[in-house]
Amino acid sequence: MQQFEVVTMQPLEAGGYDLSFTNSSLWMAIALGVIAVFMFVGTARPQLVPGRWQAAVEYVYDFVRGMLDENVGPEGRRYAPLIFSIFIFVLICNLLGMLPWVGAFTPTSHISVTLGLAFLVFIVVCIVGFARHGLHFFSLFWPKDANIFLGLFVFVIEVLSFLSRPFTLAIRLFANMTAGHVLLKVFGTFVITLGSFQALPYVFGILPLAVNVALTALELLIAVVQAYVFALLASLYLNDAVNLH
């Protein structure tokens, strides 16, 4: 579990709060730098016939915008910059954590990071819901044509379910990234341990090595899928706030 340890690189305290710069902060800053370069190179010189970088940026943005069109409707496009930013940040953080030999750190393997992103989505959803509908936003939790007793019962359940959204959203991403990295580490240890046997080291070491290669490919897929799932759920939550269903 040492790979998940947050190490202080530059101690900093302000107003009694620990604001130290850590390895998690470093890799999030690197992720932002990668995103900035990707966006700048892809949009610096827009052309009618896009080049590779411009096409890549447009493809990712169109992908997110299409997801909002499908799940929220035309009004969802105004939230495309938010969902696009969350999607690409989570994606790059996930992928950077897979880099070998450079001491890479995966910020999304920590619940504090994923919970911060999840609460950002939750707060935006609440603001949009009350700004658009006022107190009528509470009708989202009340079942249509239900009697008072059943309505109150369902209302309580729906409110609790709504309040749990940021936690389930955060835990889903955190748990998947943590579990994948632990599994890679375990099978990597098997490669070294079994491969060190004096008798037939290649026979004993080749199987866990092959499994580790397959798991690495799977983890890369999971890194992309989890970024997509996070953005998809965020768009579905926005749909509730925009359309009240």
Side-chain angles (χ1 to χ4, degrees):
M1 302 299 288
Q2 187 178 3
Q3 61 179 315
F4 304 113
E5 182 182 0
V6 177
V7 179
T8 299
M9 303 181 68
Q10 179 61 50
L12 179 64
E13 185 174 333
Y17 293 95
D18 185 6
L19 303 177
S20 300
F21 189 80
T22 65
N23 55 342
S24 179
S25 308
L26 172 64
W27 283 93
M28 282 190 284
I30 292 174
L32 291 176
V34 171
I35 295 169
V37 171
F38 174 67
M39 296 298 296
F40 176 78
V41 174
T43 60
R45 297 180 180 178
Q47 299 176 353
L48 185 61
V49 179
R52 294 180 180 179
W53 284 101
Q54 182 182 341
V57 172
E58 290 179 356
Y59 175 81
V60 177
Y61 190 81
D62 286 342
F63 172 76
V64 173
R65 189 173 60 179
M67 180 172 58
L68 285 167
D69 286 342
E70 181 179 349
N71 294 294
V72 183
E75 293 190 25
R77 290 195 173 191
R78 67 176 63 184
Y79 308 106
L82 171 66
I83 303 301
F84 173 79
S85 300
I86 292 174
F87 170 74
I88 198 168
F89 178 75
V90 173
L91 176 63
I92 298 301
C93 282
N94 290 351
L95 293 177
L96 285 177
M98 297 294 296
L99 291 177
W101 307 310
V102 293
F105 184 88
T106 311
T108 48
S109 66
H110 278 260
I111 190 67
S112 57
V113 175
T114 59
L115 194 60
L117 292 171
F119 267 108
L120 171 63
V121 173
F122 180 76
I123 292 170
V124 169
V125 167
C126 291
I127 292 174
V128 171
F130 284 112
R132 288 178 62 90
H133 308 288
L135 294 179
H136 187 60
F137 181 58
F138 287 109
S139 66
L140 176 67
F141 314 116
W142 190 271
K144 188 177 181 180
D145 300 327
N147 62 60
I148 185 65
F149 299 105
L150 179 61
L152 285 174
F153 179 72
V154 174
F155 180 82
V156 172
I157 294 176
E158 289 293 330
V159 168
L160 292 176
S161 175
F162 181 79
L163 294 177
S164 70
R165 284 180 175 182
F167 301 100
T168 57
L169 188 61
I171 292 172
R172 182 182 292 105
L173 176 59
F174 145 76
N176 277 281
M177 299 312 300
T178 301
H181 283 68
V182 169
L183 202 58
L184 285 175
K185 194 76 169 183
V186 169
F187 275 90
T189 304
F190 286 166
V191 174
I192 298 174
T193 303
L194 297 178
S196 64
F197 285 173
Q198 293 183 359
L200 301 176
Y202 297 107
V203 174
F204 285 108
I206 196 67
L207 181 59
L209 176 60
V211 172
N212 216 33
V213 171
L215 285 175
T216 301
L218 179 61
E219 186 66 11
L220 286 171
L221 177 62
I222 290 175
V224 177
V225 170
Q226 287 303 313
Y228 166 71
V229 169
F230 198 96
L232 176 63
L233 291 174
S235 65
L236 291 174
Y237 297 159
L238 275 172
N239 176 58
D240 289 339
V242 173
N243 302 311
L244 287 183
H245 62 74

